[in-house]
Amino acid sequence: MLSIEFSKIKRSWIVPLLFIAPILVVATGVASLSRYLTPEYTSAWPAMFIQSALVYSYYLLPLSMIIVCVMISARETQNNGILKMLALPVSRQKMSLCKFAVIVFFLLMEILVFFVAFVIAGIIATKTNNVEEALPLGYLLSCCAKLFITMLPATAFMWAITVLFEKPLLSIGLNLLLVIPGVLVANTSAWLCYPYCYSGYLVTCSLYKYTTEANTSVFQPFPFAIYATVLFILALTISVVRFGKKEMS
């Protein structure tokens, strides 16, 4: 089933779209900071990463995932393809899980593109400005892994909303309404209950730690892990239960 799902999107515009947001945000972020880099500059890599990832984690990455969810759903609704798919001797729950697995794969791919683009841009910036600082590969991989994990609950909600509202404009509009206030909610104690701000909150904590030079991280794994897991399971359950139910009735 997974191979079939991947074959469906082989000729779609999803893969090219995944390159736009990471390359755009890395290019602008590193370029804006590289003007201030000097050979004596310390912690250039964390500064460039935070500069690039701040807007990306709050807006561009969620926006990309919204588009991916809608495009995957649209391929099934056009020409009544979903009715043909539901006629197969396969449970609609498994179909929904397979589609979500494809979405998670694209999430991983986009963050990988972000990582590669950032490393290339960072090396160019440091070499151009004669900054002698080793590439912190472990730090960058750790940050990107956290970015991926914290984005999973929001992605699950995006897919659930796409399943609940079959009209693309409606699902895009609702998801955008939930993404926009993310930066505001991240500055309140309610951020734990708002998965759309998780990734942005993570980068904001990294910014706070970098600017204040604190020894302890503001981002606490607990109780975040509990809230994130519960919300992720809730959203995934909704999408699995509701997928194709309207067409089957």
Side-chain angles (χ1 to χ4, degrees), residues 54-71:
L54 200 57
V55 175
Y56 180 64
S57 58
Y58 272 118
Y59 297 111
L60 294 183
L61 180 57
L63 179 60
S64 300
M65 287 300 101
I66 292 172
I67 295 174
V68 169
C69 290
V70 171
M71 290 184 71

Side-chain angles (χ1 to χ4, degrees), residues 4 23 32 38 43 46 54 59 63 75 83-84 90 112 119 128 136 141 143 156 172 195 220 225 236 248:
I4 293 174
I23 294 177
S32 63
T38 61
S43 302
L54 200 57
Y59 297 111
L63 179 60
R75 291 189 66 85
L83 295 177
K84 302 173 185 177
V90 182
L112 179 61
V119 169
T128 303
L141 287 173
C143 289
I172 291 175
Q220 300 297 329
L236 191 59
M248 293 291 289

Side-chain angles (χ1 to χ4, degrees), residues 156-203:
F157 270 92
M158 292 171 189
W159 176 238
I161 290 174
T162 305
V163 170
L164 289 173
F165 303 96
E166 59 181 19
K167 293 185 178 179
L169 288 178
L170 189 57
S171 59
I172 291 175
L174 184 54
N175 273 311
L176 282 177
L177 285 176
L178 293 170
V179 168
I180 292 172
V183 66
L184 299 176
V185 180
N187 291 288
T188 68
S189 58
W191 75 270
L192 282 168
C193 303
Y194 203 78
Y196 284 81
C197 74
Y198 284 172
S199 297
Y201 182 81
L202 172 71
V203 180

Side-chain angles (χ1 to χ4, degrees), residues 1-67:
M1 288 183 65
L2 279 173
S3 62
I4 293 174
E5 292 299 330
F6 278 110
S7 65
K8 290 180 181 178
I9 47 86
K10 187 180 297 184
R11 297 180 181 179
S12 68
W13 287 94
I14 297 178
V15 175
L17 285 172
L18 294 179
F19 287 81
I20 297 176
I23 294 177
L24 177 64
V25 75
V26 166
T28 55
V30 174
S32 63
L33 187 63
S34 62
R35 293 177 296 178
Y36 303 97
L37 294 180
T38 61
E40 297 79 20
Y41 199 97
T42 59
S43 302
W45 284 100
M48 289 189 294
F49 182 84
I50 295 170
Q51 177 78 10
S52 301
L54 200 57
V55 175
Y56 180 64
S57 58
Y58 272 118
Y59 297 111
L60 294 183
L61 180 57
L63 179 60
S64 300
M65 287 300 101
I66 292 172
I67 295 174

Side-chain angles (χ1 to χ4, degrees), residues 56-241:
Y56 180 64
S57 58
Y58 272 118
Y59 297 111
L60 294 183
L61 180 57
L63 179 60
S64 300
M65 287 300 101
I66 292 172
I67 295 174
V68 169
C69 290
V70 171
M71 290 184 71
I72 289 179
S73 176
R75 291 189 66 85
E76 302 300 346
T77 55
Q78 63 183 2
N79 300 321
N80 292 323
I82 191 169
L83 295 177
K84 302 173 185 177
M85 181 180 62
L86 293 172
L88 298 173
V90 182
S91 68
R92 53 189 178 85
Q93 290 81 9
K94 289 182 180 180
M95 292 180 184
S96 180
L97 287 174
C98 286
K99 291 183 184 299
F100 182 70
V102 173
I103 294 171
V104 171
F105 171 78
F106 282 127
L107 171 63
L108 180 62
M109 179 183 288
E110 178 162 351
I111 293 179
L112 179 61
V113 172
F114 174 78
F115 171 77
V116 174
F118 175 77
V119 169
I120 294 173
I123 291 175
I124 295 173
T126 52
K127 294 297 183 182
T128 303
N129 294 279
N130 297 318
V131 177
E132 297 295 333
E133 184 177 345
L135 172 66
L137 193 60
Y139 168 80
L140 297 178
L141 287 173
S142 175
C143 289
C144 288
K146 292 176 182 177
L147 198 62
F148 171 76
I149 294 172
T150 52
M151 191 62 199
L152 285 175
T155 305
F157 270 92
M158 292 171 189
W159 176 238
I161 290 174
T162 305
V163 170
L164 289 173
F165 303 96
E166 59 181 19
K167 293 185 178 179
L169 288 178
L170 189 57
S171 59
I172 291 175
L174 184 54
N175 273 311
L176 282 177
L177 285 176
L178 293 170
V179 168
I180 292 172
V183 66
L184 299 176
V185 180
N187 291 288
T188 68
S189 58
W191 75 270
L192 282 168
C193 303
Y194 203 78
Y196 284 81
C197 74
Y198 284 172
S199 297
Y201 182 81
L202 172 71
V203 180
T204 301
C205 290
S206 299
L207 174 62
Y208 176 80
K209 184 179 179 180
Y210 175 75
T211 54
T212 60
E213 297 182 352
N215 294 323
T216 58
S217 175
V218 181
F219 189 86
Q220 300 297 329
F222 295 97
F224 163 75
I226 299 174
Y227 279 84
T229 302
V230 171
L231 290 172
F232 175 79
I233 294 174
L234 174 63
L236 191 59
T237 301
I238 293 173
S239 63
V240 167
V241 171

